[in-house]
């Protein structure tokens, strides 16, 4: 049987997650992502890596708040 979870977030946590996702999409785009990745300069690649880590930190902060619901 699948278990249900509830996540309670403050508005700031949700805003941080949305902003991190938006930053990641801005850098990656939504089409021809592979080609874009191949053409990144080392500086752009570093910025993308930092943005990705920020996004993962935001996701992690949401996931760790998930509590089983009876």
């Amino acid at each position: 049987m699948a278990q249900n979870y509830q996540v309670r977030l403050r508005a700031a946590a949700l805003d941080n997650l949305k902003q991190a996702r938006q930053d990641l999409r801005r850098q990656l785009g939504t089409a021809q992502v592979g080609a874009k990745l191949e053409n990144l300069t080392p500086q752009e690649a570093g910025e993308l890596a930092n943005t990705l880590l920020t996004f993962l930190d935001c996701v992690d902060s949401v996931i760790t708040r998930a509590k089983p619901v009876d």
Side-chain angles (χ1 to χ4, degrees), residues 21 34 58:
R21 181 189 65 192
C58 290

Side-chain angles (χ1 to χ4, degrees), residues 14-70:
L14 186 57
D15 289 343
N16 289 343
L17 180 59
K18 288 178 180 178
Q19 184 62 53
R21 181 189 65 192
Q22 184 179 3
D23 292 344
L24 195 54
R25 286 185 184 229
R26 179 182 44 79
Q27 286 180 281
L28 285 177
T30 57
Q32 300 178 342
V33 175
K36 185 164 188 169
L37 289 173
E38 289 176 350
N39 294 318
L40 290 176
T41 66
Q43 181 179 350
E44 290 170 331
E47 291 171 4
L48 178 59
N50 287 333
T51 302
L52 183 56
L53 289 174
T54 298
F55 177 75
L56 292 174
D57 287 344
C58 290
V59 169
D60 197 42
S61 75
V62 170
I63 291 171
T64 57
R65 291 181 170 118
K67 305 290 183 211
V69 176
D70 295 328

